Amino acid sequence: QLQLVESGGGLVHSGGSLRLSCAASGFSLEHYAIAWFRQLPGKWREGVSSISSFGGITSYTDSVKGRFTISKDNAKNTVYLQMNSLKPEDTAVYYCAAAYGSTWYYQPPSFTDESEYDVWGQGTQVTVSS
């Protein structure tokens, strides 16, 4: 069974940091590109960041550029999202998703078409207090 499990969410004060992890089980992340999405209360799910399968090519939505960093550790079969300088508007459930295919070997997948993603995690709650 292919699974992604997110962890690392929690409650943090504005300006604080969290590191989210996305661990794969039942398959290797080596040939998968990964994206983080988030769903803010009462809003649509939106893309946050993505990373290519190889080469560490990354993409970020404008609101998190300079604050969030995505990284991929194939040896640990895990992807991370380091979130610094958190703001109350970052409060959301964060999901990771995996996209398989050579298209994403050296370019990060887009956020606009969720059908590109083959495996989704269950999400982890991040709450940033003001």
Side-chain angles (χ1 to χ4, degrees):
Q1 185 178 3
L2 310 185
Q3 281 189 314
L4 292 173
V5 178
E6 301 94 339
S7 62
L11 173 64
V12 65
H13 291 300
S14 181
S17 297
L18 284 174
R19 188 177 78 158
L20 303 185
S21 298
C22 171
S25 64
F27 69 108
S28 170
L29 285 180
E30 184 176 6
H31 290 84
Y32 284 79
I34 303 295
W36 285 95
F37 291 82
R38 66 186 180 186
Q39 188 159 18
L40 283 65
K43 295 189 177 181
W44 297 104
R45 188 158 58 190
E46 63 178 17
V48 175
S49 180
S50 62
I51 188 166
S52 58
S53 307
F54 303 104
I57 312 302
T58 59
S59 177
Y60 298 91
T61 193
D62 287 345
S63 63
V64 307
K65 284 181 181 176
R67 301 189 298 123
F68 290 12
T69 303
I70 189 172
S71 60
K72 189 168 180 272
D73 188 335
N74 288 332
K76 294 184 178 179
N77 219 25
T78 300
V79 173
Y80 303 98
L81 185 68
Q82 178 67 44
M83 306 188 297
N84 298 328
S85 302
L86 282 162
K87 304 175 181 180
E89 51 264 44
D90 294 317
T91 294
V93 178
Y94 283 72
Y95 301 88
C96 61
Y100 180 79
S102 59
T103 301
W104 315 120
Y105 279 3
Y106 295 102
Q107 67 175 346
S110 71
F111 305 136
T112 57
D113 186 357
E114 293 190 358
S115 67
E116 292 174 343
Y117 297 89
D118 306 287
V119 188
W120 288 82
Q122 293 300 307
T124 185
Q125 175 70 47
V126 171
T127 303
V128 185
S129 64
S130 57

